[in-house]
Amino acid sequence: MTARAADRARYDRATAHLDAPLAIVDLDAFDANADDLVRRAGGKPIRVASKSVRCRALLERVLARDGFAGIMSFTLAESLWLARGGFEDVLLAYPSADRASFAELASDPKLAAAVTVMIDDPAQLRLIDESRDGGREVIRVCLELDTSLKLFGGRVRVGARRSPLHSPAQVADLARTVARRPGFKVVGIMAYEGHIAGVGDSVAGQPLRSRAVRLMQATARRELAERRGEVVRAVRAVVPDLEFVNGGGTGSVQTTAAEDAVTEIGAGSGLYVPRLFDNYTSFSGRPAALFAQPVVRRPGVGVVTVLGGGYTASGAPGRDRLPVPHLPEGLRYDPQEGPGEVQTPLLGSPADDLLLGDKVWFRHAKAGELCERFELLHLVEGDAVTATVPTYRGEGHTFL
């Protein structure tokens, strides 16, 4: 029996009393992935990206482990909800225009002490001030650095279009603007290198593309390490008591942690290890989050149909954004249909051994987006479900 077949047998036994559709997290795999992230971080704390987890119980579980500290959230409403729930260090990783939440943040000392918001433009400071509604708490802010690699005089850009702040002088200028403005305090810098951390460099069947990605990433790492160090020095000249410099992502933990300027690493997808993280030479993890769909039809030899399953991930459309049939091994999509909103036909010889009601296990392309489809996560240890916990959705929240 292969390791994947053994996993299927465990998951089927653990959930035999449960009807699909359902979602699980294999805690043995989750904990092993957490240990690997800590090992790669080399002693620097890991701030957990909540969008990649979207379950308070699992956020609490990982933050109770040595090597993890703080949350990197994705909306301001979520940040306040987490802070009210007892999380004391929440960094909002994206700028917000949520005026009602800014008013709440500015009027509550506990929330203002726990939550740090992201800015990259003085106009965001004005929006926050206009939203205060009488609240006078000092707002903790983090400055975001654009990490993209610019080549040929800026005519070629590699990396996500995020912050407009690219040079040390630009970031330092914004730090000075914040320092002169009452009611705000710069406490950190964030620089997420998605083109390094979030792009696989070993894509099966694409050796030339994989080599090109590795060359790009090596160039980008060198350029960013030098520029990030210069940015931190420039900002510390304005803000000597800067609390943190956040960088990295699941795919670049060890290289980002090696930079002296970086004080903490941001990561989250490496806990669940979705399919987009199968194509890396720098690490390998264990799939921890899966969902099961039930067989509802047997249209013919070598074909079964499962209920639903069309859970496409965000990003540029492509086959890599689709969930992948994982267990039993050997199933594939019908190229004329793909994963469907209500039903999904699957092809392959394993289909002939599946009966109505049997579970087919899938991996999502991304991590936390799976939790927007399910209210509950069944936590599996060995071959048993040992707990069932709500996702954000299960607690009545779909923040974005």
Side-chain angles (χ1 to χ4, degrees), residues 190-365:
M190 189 187 83
Y192 170 59
E193 57 268 29
H195 52 301
I196 303 171
V199 178
D201 63 351
S202 181
V203 182
Q206 300 184 40
L208 294 180
R209 180 181 185 277
S210 298
R211 177 171 171 77
V213 168
R214 287 194 291 272
L215 289 172
M216 175 276 291
Q217 290 179 339
T219 301
R221 277 195 295 268
R222 289 192 297 269
E223 186 276 337
L224 179 59
E226 180 177 351
R227 180 160 54 90
R228 183 155 40 198
E230 293 172 355
V231 166
V232 172
R233 287 191 291 273
V235 172
R236 286 195 184 279
V238 180
V239 187
D241 58 345
L242 196 68
E243 295 178 16
F244 65 86
V245 177
N246 181 281
T250 288
S252 66
V253 170
Q254 63 272 31
T255 54
T256 305
E259 295 182 33
D260 291 339
V262 174
T263 66
E264 64 175 39
I265 306 299
S269 295
L271 296 168
Y272 286 173
V273 186
R275 67 167 295 193
L276 281 176
F277 286 89
D278 288 345
N279 304 316
Y280 286 77
T281 57
S282 60
F283 79 103
S284 60
R286 293 172 55 185
L290 301 96
F291 66 94
Q293 304 296 112
V295 174
V296 292
R297 285 179 174 166
R298 293 173 50 86
V301 176
V303 186
V304 292
T305 301
V306 299
L307 183 69
Y311 306 156
T312 305
S314 60
R319 290 186 62 82
D320 65 345
R321 302 292 144 166
L322 303 179
V324 61
H326 185 58
L327 302 169
E329 298 179 66
L331 292 174
R332 65 187 186 279
Y333 292 124
D334 181 334
Q336 301 303 314
E337 297 195 46
E341 177 186 11
V342 178
Q343 66 171 33
T344 297
L346 297 170
L347 312 180
S349 58
D352 294 330
D353 296 323
L354 291 169
L355 304 176
L356 295 182
D358 283 353
K359 297 179 177 77
V360 175
W361 297 90
F362 293 77
R363 294 171 66 200
H364 203 280

Side-chain angles (χ1 to χ4, degrees), residues 100-225:
S101 292
F102 276 129
E104 185 176 356
L105 178 66
S107 63
D108 189 314
K110 178 184 175 181
L111 296 180
V115 175
T116 301
V117 303
M118 191 66 60
I119 68 165
D120 55 31
D121 188 321
Q124 292 155 351
L125 300 175
R126 292 193 292 275
L127 185 147
I128 295 171
D129 271 340
E130 291 167 359
S131 305
R132 284 179 178 270
D133 194 27
R136 297 184 178 182
E137 295 300 321
V138 172
I139 305 300
R140 294 165 53 88
V141 300
C142 178
L143 312 178
E144 181 169 5
L145 169 68
D146 169 38
T147 65
S148 65
L149 175 65
K150 295 184 177 182
L151 303 171
F152 305 108
R155 292 190 296 275
V156 175
R157 173 196 177 101
V158 181
R161 296 184 181 276
R162 293 175 63 111
S163 170
L165 306 176
H166 191 80
S167 70
Q170 289 174 315
V171 186
D173 282 347
L174 184 54
R176 278 188 284 271
T177 297
V178 177
R180 289 194 295 264
R181 194 175 189 110
F184 297 92
K185 180 182 181 182
V186 174
V187 297
I189 299 171
M190 189 187 83
Y192 170 59
E193 57 268 29
H195 52 301
I196 303 171
V199 178
D201 63 351
S202 181
V203 182
Q206 300 184 40
L208 294 180
R209 180 181 185 277
S210 298
R211 177 171 171 77
V213 168
R214 287 194 291 272
L215 289 172
M216 175 276 291
Q217 290 179 339
T219 301
R221 277 195 295 268
R222 289 192 297 269
E223 186 276 337
L224 179 59

